[in-house]
């Protein structure tokens, strides 16, 4: 028993000595990052790409928990209500832009209940198809096919009120086609059904679909980025196919409950900034079609407020409203 106590004391001392970013006793427990969507999607990939490096930089375990449902609202509500100073959440354009714009009753306030920690990456969007279900090879052929089959083709998204839903609605409005929306509980389940042929078209971030596009199981039709992606060099941007209004990418970042001590927010922001400089982290992000950014807490907090206002205008124009 004395030996166990000695080892426990030694472990605690080593942990305390390894807190390089000004940690205090409050941070001696695990840092918890809530992902408001299921495993397998881009939202889940982003923190996991940094998990080990963040743990080393912070000198404490970093635990990632998936709390999916209601377009990310369930996970984000849990983050908003946390008071331990150790809980953070992966914010997306869906949870902190689209959701406040389309949901009439949202259990959290994207601006008032959170403080932005940092934007982590920009994330191009993509429209992909299952080529065994829809025999088209490019954007023009897809639009022609959809117009020839009005109301007969369904499209998958990670859920109601997600950026995939918004992208799908904008595509329909811009091209004048008629499609049926099939919302899922996250990118993982959605892409699985597209692979299985249950739904032929899918709107989401590049990262979720990229492995399947490279394997030839899905076909990428267009991406929302200002230039062609190195990971998909043969796929045009929406601007190239005549729809620059569809070219906006998404983003992922970290937020904390408003009650989180400012020094803790600053500490995590600094650790993320350092993690994004790590060659292995950047390489993983690049390989998934994610573009490392990193911003200050103040700038990301302002960005969230701006995105909410912008998405409200897009939601009205696209006619999206969810009870």
């Amino acid at each position: 028993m004395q030996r166990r106590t000695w080892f426990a004391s030694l472990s605690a001392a080593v942990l305390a000595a390894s807190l390089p970013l000004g940690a205090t006793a409050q941070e001696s427990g695990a840092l918890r990052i809530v992902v408001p969507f299921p495993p397998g999607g881009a939202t889940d990939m982003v923190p996991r790409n940094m998990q080990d490096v963040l743990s080393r930089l912070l000198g404490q375990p970093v635990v990632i928990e998936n709390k999916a449902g209601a377009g990310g609202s369930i996970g984000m509500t849990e983050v908003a209500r946390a008071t331990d100073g150790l809980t953070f959440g992966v914010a997306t354009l869906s949870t902190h832009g689209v959701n406040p714009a389309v949901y009439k009753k949202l259990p959290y306030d994207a601006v008032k209940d959170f403080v932005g920690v940092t934007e982590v990456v920009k994330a191009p969007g993509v429209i992909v198809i299952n080529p065994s279900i829809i025999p088209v090879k490019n954007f023009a052929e897809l639009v022609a096919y959809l117009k020839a089959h009005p109301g007969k083709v369904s499209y998958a998204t990670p859920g109601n009120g997600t950026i995939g839903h918004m992208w799908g609605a904008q595509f329909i409005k811009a091209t004048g086609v008629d499609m049926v929306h099939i919302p899922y509980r996250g990118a993982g389940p959605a892409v699985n059904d597209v692979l299985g042929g249950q739904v032929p078209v899918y709107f989401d971030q590049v990262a979720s679909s990229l492995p399947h596009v490279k394997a030839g199981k899905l076909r990428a039709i267009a991406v929302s980025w200002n230039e062609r992606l190195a990971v998909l060099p043969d796929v045009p941007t929406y601007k190239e196919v005549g729809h620059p209004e569809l070219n906006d990418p998404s983003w992922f970042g970290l937020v904390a409950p408003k009650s989180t001590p400012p020094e803790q927010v600053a500490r995590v922001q600094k650790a993320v900034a350092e993690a994004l400089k790590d060659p292995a982290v950047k390489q993983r992000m690049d390989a998934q079609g994610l573009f490392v950014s990193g911003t200050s807490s103040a700038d990301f907090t302002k960005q969230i407020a701006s995105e909410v206002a912008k998405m409200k205008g897009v939601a009205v124009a696209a006619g999206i409203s969810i009870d």
Side-chain angles (χ1 to χ4, degrees):
M1 181 64 69
Q2 289 181 337
R3 181 173 177 144
R4 286 183 184 176
T5 303
W6 183 83
F7 271 118
S9 299
L10 177 62
S11 297
V14 170
L15 177 60
S18 66
L19 301 181
L21 294 171
T24 64
Q26 180 191 21
E27 291 91 34
S28 62
L31 189 82
R32 177 181 177 231
I33 298 179
V34 175
V35 176
F37 294 99
T43 316
D44 187 60
M45 296 175 188
V46 169
R48 293 189 191 279
N49 285 341
M50 305 185 295
Q51 185 176 13
D52 291 343
V53 176
L54 274 182
S55 180
R56 173 172 56 80
L57 289 169
L58 292 168
Q60 67 188 117
V62 174
V63 177
I64 296 172
E65 297 181 12
N66 297 86
K67 300 285 184 179
S73 298
I74 291 176
M76 277 300 120
T77 300
E78 184 165 325
V79 174
R81 294 173 179 172
T83 58
D84 57 8
L86 294 170
T87 298
F88 292 74
V90 180
T92 72
L93 184 51
S94 295
T95 63
H96 284 69
V98 180
N99 281 0
V102 302
Y103 278 95
K104 293 180 180 179
K105 296 180 181 180
L106 198 62
Y108 64 86
D109 188 305
V111 176
K112 295 179 180 179
D113 292 343
F114 300 91
V115 58
V117 178
T118 181
E119 182 186 78
V120 179
V121 295
K122 295 288 189 187
V126 66
I127 176 173
V128 297
I129 63 163
N130 184 322
S132 66
I133 307 299
I134 297 183
V136 301
K137 296 182 179 179
N138 56 48
F139 188 89
E141 289 184 5
L142 174 61
V143 172
Y145 182 91
L146 295 173
K147 287 187 175 180
H149 300 82
K152 302 295 184 182
V153 179
S154 56
Y155 70 96
T157 73
N160 280 319
T162 61
I163 188 58
H165 183 191
M166 192 70 81
W167 280 333
Q170 289 177 291
F171 171 84
I172 290 170
K173 183 177 177 64
T175 58
V177 299
D178 181 10
M179 302 175 69
V180 179
H181 178 216
I182 307 296
Y184 283 81
R185 289 173 59 86
V191 77
N192 284 340
D193 266 14
V194 177
L195 288 167
Q198 287 89 342
V199 186
V201 182
Y202 178 50
F203 290 87
D204 198 31
Q205 282 92 7
V206 168
S208 305
S209 300
L210 185 61
H212 311 297
V213 173
K214 288 189 171 295
K217 296 178 181 179
L218 298 178
R219 178 171 293 148
I221 301 298
V223 296
S224 58
W225 196 241
N226 57 358
E227 60 185 9
R228 293 200 180 196
L229 302 175
V231 292
L232 292 173
D234 298 325
V235 181
T237 67
Y238 279 110
K239 183 178 180 179
E240 287 182 78
V241 297
H243 289 282
E245 72 276 21
L246 303 179
N247 231 30
D248 286 341
S250 182
W251 48 260
F252 298 97
L254 281 185
V255 293
K258 204 75 169 184
S259 61
T260 306
E263 60 272 19
Q264 174 73 328
V265 172
R267 176 172 172 264
V268 174
Q269 187 276 333
K270 182 179 179 182
V272 172
E274 291 191 24
L276 293 179
K277 296 176 185 176
D278 186 279
V281 172
K282 189 175 185 306
Q283 184 177 31
R284 285 194 288 269
M285 298 291 196
D286 288 346
Q288 293 165 351
L290 298 167
F291 291 81
V292 168
S293 52
T295 60
S296 70
S297 172
D299 285 347
F300 190 46
T301 300
K302 291 177 183 177
Q303 178 181 329
I304 289 171
S306 175
E307 292 286 11
V308 170
K310 176 183 175 181
M311 285 297 128
K312 284 182 179 178
V314 174
V316 171
I320 299 177
S321 180
I322 303 171
D323 291 330

